Amino acid sequence: MPYFSAVIPSFNAAATIRETLAGLQAQTCADWEAVVVDDGSMDETRTLVRAAAAADARIRLVRNPGKGPSAARNFGAMEHACGDVIAFCDADDIWHRDKLSQLRASFRQGAVDGAYGRIGFFRANPANARVFSTVPVQDLTIAMLLGENPVCTMSNFAVRRRVFAATGGFDEAMVHNEDLEWLIRLVGGCARVSGIDSLHTYYRTSVEGLSADLEAMRAGREQAIATAAGFGVVPSAASHAIHHRYLARRALRLNGAPAYALKQAASGILKSPRGFFSPFRRGGLTLAGSLLAPFLPRPLRRNLFSR
C-alpha cells in the first residue's frame, strides 16, 4: 500500500495534465499512487492519462460519478485512495520534487493530521515564479483561515486519509470556497495542521474571469463564516481587513482589473486599518500596488505583481 495517494480532479486538462503528472513522477519520494478523477472532460485528458497509466502503474484514471471538483476529490479520496495520506493536486498545478519527501518526514516525526508548504505563482514556466506565499510558525487556526488563508489552494494540502474521512469530505453543494469551508471544519474538529516553510507547490495563474472568480470567492466565504460560527469563532474586523488585503494582493498578482485591487484595499482599510497594515510592509506594499496599478501599462504590471 502506498504512503501517499495523490488525488487529482481533472476537467479538460489536456494542456496541463502531463506537466502535473511529470511533477509527481519526479518526486524524490516514490511511495505514491495517483488517482486522476476525470470530471467529464471533452478534450484529450482521458487519452493522455491512460497513456501515462500504461507507462506507470502507480497512475489510475477513474470517472467522477458526480460533478465538480469537490465531488471529484471526495470520490477519489474516499472510494479509490489507498494511501495513509491524501495529497490533493489540481490538474494544472505542479509539485516541487521534494514535496512528498518533506511531507512524509512531517507526518512521521510529528503528531500532525494535515500539512502544507509554500506556493510559487507562475504563468507558463514554474522556473519563472517570483512571488511566493508564506507559512506561519504556529499551527493553522480558524482565525487564520478567516483572514489570509496560508494554505491558498488544495494543491498545497495533505491530510491523513482517516482524518479526511472523519470530516465527511467537501460540501459538494458549494461552488466556491468549499476548500476554505472544509479546512474550517477540519481545524474546528481539533485536527492539528502545520505548515512547512519550504516551497511545495507551483500554482498556475490565469486572469480569465478573475474579478468574477474573486467575487464568487467572497460570496462563498459567507458560508465558511457560518461554519466557523458553529465552532464559536466569529471573524474580527482585522480578519475581514486581512481578507480584503488578500483579495487585493491576489488581483495584483494575477494582473487583473486594477480597479478591483484598489476597491479591495480600500474596503480592508475601512474595516480595520490596524488589521490591513499588520504587518506594515505587507499592507503598505499592497496599498501602494493598488494605487499605482491603474496608471501602469499592463506588461509592466505583469512584471511588478505577477512574478
Side-chain angles (χ1 to χ4, degrees):
M1 184 172 68
Y3 189 75
F4 290 102
S5 289
V7 174
I8 307 172
S10 60
F11 175 71
N12 289 346
T16 59
I17 188 65
R18 282 179 291 193
E19 284 185 279
T20 298
L21 293 175
L24 187 53
Q25 291 172 310
Q27 291 295 303
T28 53
C29 170
D31 192 8
W32 55 265
E33 65 170 357
V35 180
V36 182
V37 186
D38 181 68
D39 202 21
S41 296
M42 295 173 286
D43 63 0
E44 297 300 312
T45 297
R46 288 191 295 273
T47 300
L48 295 173
V49 175
R50 287 193 189 101
D56 190 334
R58 295 173 297 178
I59 300 172
R60 286 185 285 142
L61 174 68
V62 298
R63 295 284 192 98
N64 180 17
K67 185 63 180 174
S70 290
R73 291 187 185 112
N74 286 343
F75 182 62
M78 293 184 176
E79 302 296 332
H80 291 277
C82 300
D84 292 335
V85 175
I86 305 295
F88 295 102
C89 186
D90 290 342
D92 57 351
D93 295 333
I94 302 171
W95 285 351
H96 188 280
R97 64 192 303 269
D98 293 327
K99 174 187 173 88
L100 293 184
S101 292
Q102 293 182 1
L103 283 173
R104 182 171 58 180
S106 178
F107 278 104
R108 286 182 171 177
Q109 293 173 6
V112 298
D113 300 302
Y116 63 99
R118 297 173 63 208
I119 293 176
F121 297 86
F122 78 102
R123 289 186 179 277
N125 186 345
N128 292 334
R130 295 294 182 271
V131 174
F132 302 91
S133 67
T134 57
V135 172
V137 175
Q138 62 269 44
D139 289 346
L140 193 66
T141 66
I142 294 178
M144 286 182 199
L145 291 167
L146 292 177
E148 193 164 15
N149 175 8
V151 176
C152 295
T153 171
M154 287 309 300
S155 293
N156 189 37
F157 199 79
V159 61
R160 296 189 191 276
R161 181 158 57 100
R162 57 174 174 78
V163 174
F164 179 77
T167 67
F170 298 94
D171 184 344
E172 297 180 13
M174 291 187 67
V175 178
H176 288 277
N177 263 335
E178 69 282 353
D179 53 344
L180 175 63
E181 195 273 341
W182 175 76
L183 284 167
I184 290 171
R185 282 191 281 119
L186 175 71
V187 175
C190 297
R192 183 187 174 197
V193 177
S194 297
I196 301 171
D197 194 15
S198 295
L199 178 60
H200 277 191
T201 303
Y202 294 100
Y203 178 85
R204 191 184 303 269
T205 63
S206 172
V207 299
E208 283 76 17
L210 174 64
S211 295
D213 286 346
L214 290 178
E215 284 299 327
M217 287 170 58
R218 183 191 61 78
R221 183 170 178 261
E222 295 303 317
Q223 186 166 341
I225 288 173
T227 298
F231 293 103
V233 180
V234 178
S236 63
S239 292
H240 284 302
I242 291 169
H243 183 70
H244 283 293
R245 185 182 69 193
Y246 162 75
L247 293 178
R249 289 173 63 83
R250 190 173 177 89
L252 291 171
R253 183 182 293 138
L254 302 187
N255 199 22
Y260 186 88
L262 184 57
K263 174 185 175 182
Q264 294 302 322
S267 296
I269 293 171
L270 289 173
K271 288 283 187 183
S272 170
R274 178 174 294 183
F276 187 89
F277 290 106
S278 179
F280 180 79
R281 181 177 183 276
R282 198 174 191 82
L285 288 176
T286 303
L287 177 59
S290 300
L291 289 169
L292 287 173
F295 305 102
L296 298 176
R298 190 177 182 87
L300 182 55
R301 294 207 311 269
R302 179 178 295 117
N303 289 333
L304 288 176
F305 303 127
S306 300
R307 291 185 174 183

